[in-house]
Amino acid sequence: MTRVLVTGGTGFIGSWCVLALLDAGHTVRTTVRDLGREPVLRSWLRAAATFDDDRLTVVRADLEHPDGWEAAVDDCDFVLHVASPTLRRTPATDDELIVPAREGVLRVLRAARDAGVRRTVLTSAFGAVGIGHPQRSTPFTEEDWTNVDADIPPYQRSKTVAERAAWQFVREEGGDMELAAVHPVGVLGPLLGPDDPPSLRLVRRMLEGKMPACPPFAMGYVDVRDVADLHLRAMTDPAAAGERFLAVAGRSLRVIDIARILRDRLGERAEKAPTRELPVWLTRALATVNPELRLLKHQLGRDLDATAAKAEKLLDWKARPIEDTIADTAESILSHSLGK
């Protein structure tokens, strides 16, 4: 089988991509910023699957530094570029996220091109597709791009700028290397280990009773296992070259819908999940003093629906029912004692 580099192997999506590749028989090399995380990653993967240790190599490479990338991509057939710079605090300027995201993507693509990688799959996000637009009655598709000139959060701006830079690089300097991009919406699903990925905090807060009422908006959600599956399809299917793919399970859900599904599927264990939705006007007023709600201001009162019809048609991809994903997410959080 082929050798595949996965950047950011200890991340939520990255770790599931590594697992899916190992399950499919590939040899995997993955990057981490801290090699001290290697034993943790291996323990997560061994608990979920059986594989020969020599099919997984963990190397150190940081998106913000040039060292290590030449060795990381050496002799690789494909690259799944999943890693993305993150900040533990609110950035003072958008450039604190945008510059590392853009330069990190270009650093990986240059190294991949120089190593003769056949195709790179970029993990982008719905944040590069459907943010900064007026409300619309039709779902967002891969033809859409986030409006970076609108008043949008820095994370969505950084994902958009980084992806546009990637397509420009491959078009102008990529040589024979192909590019595909995967755009997950809100990513839920089970944990491989006792980690705390930001995308699961909505469900965790509901289980903990730390969300007295739900903010008023709707968006799409998808299972992390299906996101990993879409990465593998985009990696090998000839139809994926040069294409973007939204990863979303069905239609959008309101936050209150997620709470209802939790109560329905988990019963008493989800009794702390909220039962009401805040009015839009009140949420906007609270956002002036609540930093978490302030980050959602572009979504309040909106329905950010999206469709995965393209991935379903071109790559024969199919997401599992989102109700099952929400239940699996909660069960996993509780089993790791993260929602108690």
Side-chain angles (χ1 to χ4, degrees), residues 160 230 312:
T160 310
L230 184 53
E312 293 167 357

Side-chain angles (χ1 to χ4, degrees), residues 268-285:
E268 292 182 354
R269 291 179 296 158
E271 63 182 1
K272 296 178 182 178
T275 58
R276 59 194 179 93
E277 182 180 84
L278 288 170
V280 175
W281 67 267
L282 178 57
T283 313
R284 285 179 176 152

Side-chain angles (χ1 to χ4, degrees), residues 42-333:
R42 286 188 181 274
S43 69
W44 291 354
L45 296 170
R46 287 195 190 105
T50 301
F51 60 92
D52 294 332
D53 253 10
D54 59 1
R55 284 203 295 119
L56 174 65
T57 305
V58 182
V59 299
R60 184 186 181 282
D62 189 325
L63 289 177
E64 298 188 45
H65 299 282
D67 298 341
W69 288 107
E70 182 179 347
V73 298
D74 182 51
D75 199 31
C76 286
D77 301 284
F78 301 102
V79 171
L80 303 187
H81 180 36
V82 186
S84 183
T86 57
L87 289 177
R88 299 294 182 183
R89 55 176 174 75
T90 302
T93 67
D94 284 8
D95 280 350
E96 286 191 61
L97 270 178
I98 292 172
V99 173
R102 182 184 61 230
E103 295 308 309
V105 164
L106 294 177
R107 183 167 284 127
V108 172
L109 289 176
R110 287 190 190 101
R113 176 203 59 194
D114 294 346
V117 166
R118 289 151 56 185
R119 183 181 297 175
T120 295
V121 179
L122 171 66
T123 309
S124 189
F126 176 78
V129 173
I131 308 300
H133 299 285
Q135 180 62 53
R136 55 195 275 179
S137 59
T138 57
F140 286 97
T141 75
E142 293 84 357
E143 297 299 314
D144 296 301
W145 283 89
T146 283
N147 179 11
V148 295
D149 295 323
D151 180 19
I152 63 174
Y155 174 76
Q156 284 84 350
R157 194 185 305 275
S158 73
K159 296 298 284 189
T160 310
V161 170
E163 190 193 346
R164 283 198 178 277
W167 287 112
Q168 181 178 358
F169 174 84
V170 170
R171 186 170 57 250
E172 297 177 357
E173 304 178 50
D176 294 331
M177 185 178 66
E178 298 171 339
L179 180 67
V182 174
H183 297 74
V185 287
V187 183
L188 302 175
L191 293 154
L192 284 176
D195 206 0
D196 185 27
S199 65
L200 301 196
R201 289 175 190 168
L202 172 69
V203 174
R204 179 167 63 81
R205 286 170 61 84
M206 287 184 176
L207 296 174
E208 293 172 341
K210 293 182 178 179
M211 183 180 291
C214 296
F217 69 89
M219 60 177 282
Y221 296 89
V222 67
D223 195 295
V224 67
R225 294 165 290 188
D226 297 327
V227 174
D229 176 57
L230 184 53
H231 276 75
L232 267 64
R233 292 170 186 264
M235 181 182 83
T236 58
D237 196 312
E243 302 290 348
R244 307 169 85 208
F245 296 98
L246 277 160
V248 55
R251 300 299 300 269
S252 58
L253 290 176
R254 300 189 73 80
V255 179
I256 191 68
D257 293 330
I258 296 176
R260 289 173 181 148
I261 292 168
L262 287 173
R263 287 176 170 274
D264 179 58
R265 298 290 290 266
L266 272 74
E268 292 182 354
R269 291 179 296 158
E271 63 182 1
K272 296 178 182 178
T275 58
R276 59 194 179 93
E277 182 180 84
L278 288 170
V280 175
W281 67 267
L282 178 57
T283 313
R284 285 179 176 152
L286 292 173
T288 62
V289 295
N290 185 310
E292 292 183 359
L293 289 178
R294 194 176 304 132
L295 290 175
L296 299 174
K297 66 179 182 179
H298 65 286
Q299 295 176 228
L300 298 178
R302 306 274 317 280
D303 183 351
L304 300 176
D305 196 16
T307 175
K310 182 177 178 179
E312 293 167 357
K313 180 179 180 180
L314 285 187
L315 305 184
D316 199 26
W317 178 78
K318 184 174 177 59
R320 68 199 70 202
I322 198 60
E323 294 83 1
D324 293 344
T325 294
I326 291 169
D328 289 349
T329 303
E331 295 284 3
S332 182
I333 289 171

